[in-house]
């Protein structure tokens, strides 16, 4: 989301190095959106390795000052087609492997949106349909029109709302959960700051991370990895970074194996009701 061309002179922040480090480390999905303003950059970074990438993008959210929320959702069938064509041009590709509706619309029925996306699948312009920032009812209604491959939502130790309705619905329908912001936009990295006051949940995170010799952020990603078997669905953590060194650290988190008691302590400490 924050990937940008940089003139900082820091090779660790070079976007080509960041993306290619991810691919070299075995990451296959690269995720962007028309809203992020970096589709052209992402397209350039993967141009020589397009077949190595599951390329994901999103459409529908337009920033505006006229709406109290700061954005509008354009999810009508015509905009689906127009947005896809524009993203294909910016990405420099003839297909988007996973195409998401970025946010639910209050005015356009999701059946219309997904119906138009299904046409794009049949035309070969997108490979699969995804949804983001939707309700469980939206997911079920959309899936009845065309199979939904992935649901992208915020899921982390610090943000568990998705577990109430969306995770059970995704498990029921066989939809993969792509968990963006598994460190809650860096909040869980901050739990490792020994100079900062710590409450019980931060102490637990620090203790278990220290036991494994990893960072708090890596442990938070490992916790998200652990949710799949527990809830009966595929879970893909989607951490964002602008540094190649952080990419390596994020990838290394998949090797962390948490024991049952460690998972119980982490989950209980960070429970919304704790």
């Amino acid at each position: 989301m924050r990937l940008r061309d940089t003139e900082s002179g820091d090779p660790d922040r070079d976007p080509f190095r960041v993306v290619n480090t991810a691919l070299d480390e075995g990451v296959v999905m690269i995720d962007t959106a028309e809203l992020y303003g970096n589709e052209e950059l992402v397209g350039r970074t993967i141009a020589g390795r397009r077949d190595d990438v599951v390329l994901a993008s999103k459409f529908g959210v337009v920033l505006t000052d006229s709406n109290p929320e700061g954005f509008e959702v354009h999810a009508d069938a015509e905009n689906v087609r127009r947005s896809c064509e524009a993203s294909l041009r910016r990405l420099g590709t003839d297909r988007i492997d996973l195409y998401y509706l970025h946010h639910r619309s209050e005015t356009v029925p999701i059946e219309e949106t997904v119906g138009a996306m299904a046409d794009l699948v049949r035309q070969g312009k997108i490979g699969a349909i995804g949804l983001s920032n939707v309700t469980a009812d939206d997911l079920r209604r959309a899936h009845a029109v065309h199979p939904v491959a992935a649901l992208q939502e915020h899921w982390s130790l610090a943000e568990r709302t998705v577990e109430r309705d969306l995770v059970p619905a995704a498990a029921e329908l066989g939809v993969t959960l792509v968990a963006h912001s598994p460190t809650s936009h860096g909040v869980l990295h901050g739990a490792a700051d020994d100079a900062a006051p710590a409450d019980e949940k931060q102490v637990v995170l620090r203790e278990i991370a220290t036991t494994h010799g990893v960072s708090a952020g890596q442990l938070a990603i490992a916790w998200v990895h652990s949710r799949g078997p527990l809830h009966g669905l595929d879970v893909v953590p989607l951490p964002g970074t602008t540094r190649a060194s952080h990419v390596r650290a994020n990838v290394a988190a998949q090797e962390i194996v948490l024991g049952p008691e460690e998972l119980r302590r982490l989950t209980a400490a960070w429970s919304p009701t704790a």
Side-chain angles (χ1 to χ4, degrees):
M1 182 171 65
R2 297 183 301 276
L3 197 71
R4 296 290 185 272
D5 279 312
T6 177
E7 297 179 359
S8 66
D10 182 353
D12 196 41
R13 296 180 68 91
D14 177 81
F16 286 82
R17 177 170 289 191
V18 171
V19 172
N20 281 280
T21 295
L23 298 178
D24 291 343
E25 292 288 330
V27 173
V28 295
M29 185 169 72
I30 302 296
D31 178 276
T32 184
E34 62 178 3
L35 176 66
Y36 301 163
N38 63 7
E39 284 183 315
E40 290 183 352
L41 174 59
V42 169
R44 294 199 307 272
T45 64
I46 66 171
R49 307 178 67 173
R50 178 65 184 89
D51 291 339
D52 298 335
V53 174
V54 175
L55 179 59
S57 194
K58 314 176 197 72
F59 74 93
V61 174
V62 178
L63 298 180
T64 176
D65 294 331
S66 63
N67 189 306
E69 293 185 327
F71 67 90
E72 296 175 345
V73 178
H74 297 177
D76 58 281
E78 178 56 32
N79 190 68
V80 172
R81 292 187 286 270
R82 185 168 55 245
S83 291
C84 181
E85 293 292 348
S87 286
L88 288 170
R89 287 195 300 272
R90 288 189 293 266
L91 290 163
T93 186
D94 62 356
R95 72 186 189 283
I96 299 170
D97 300 303
L98 175 58
Y99 198 44
Y100 292 94
L101 169 64
H102 204 156
H103 196 287
R104 72 185 308 272
S105 171
E106 297 287 351
T107 57
V108 178
I110 201 161
E111 290 85 354
E112 176 183 338
T113 307
V114 174
M117 296 172 78
D119 288 339
L120 296 176
V121 173
R122 287 187 283 271
Q123 294 165 19
K125 295 181 179 180
I126 69 175
I129 290 173
L131 301 176
S132 184
N133 299 301
V134 296
T135 68
D137 180 62
D138 292 332
L139 176 59
R140 289 191 172 92
R141 288 166 52 199
H143 200 76
V145 176
H146 187 281
V148 175
L151 175 67
Q152 185 175 144
E153 301 287 339
H154 185 184
W155 196 5
S156 72
L157 277 167
E159 176 48 62
R160 310 273 283 281
T161 307
V162 68
E163 296 174 10
R164 297 177 191 165
D165 300 309
L166 276 169
V167 166
E172 170 193 329
L173 298 172
V175 177
T176 294
L177 201 300
V178 178
H180 77 73
S181 311
T183 65
S184 279
H185 305 290
V187 169
L188 296 170
H189 288 294
D193 185 356
D194 292 332
D199 57 22
E200 181 181 353
K201 62 180 180 288
Q202 291 170 320
V203 170
V204 171
L205 184 60
R206 290 181 191 176
E207 286 181 355
I208 297 175
T210 300
T211 297
H212 287 266
V214 300
S215 71
Q218 286 176 304
L219 193 71
I221 295 172
W223 180 86
V224 174
H225 269 294
S226 76
R227 299 298 87 188
L230 177 67
H231 291 280
L233 76 169
D234 291 329
V235 176
V236 179
L238 184 66
T241 182
T242 57
R243 289 186 176 273
S245 57
H246 293 172
V247 168
R248 297 186 188 96
N250 291 341
V251 172
Q254 68 182 322
E255 304 299 331
I256 301 169
V257 179
L258 297 171
E261 179 59 18
E262 291 175 322
L263 286 170
R264 187 202 64 77
R265 287 183 65 205
L266 272 173
T267 305
W270 287 86
S271 168
T273 58

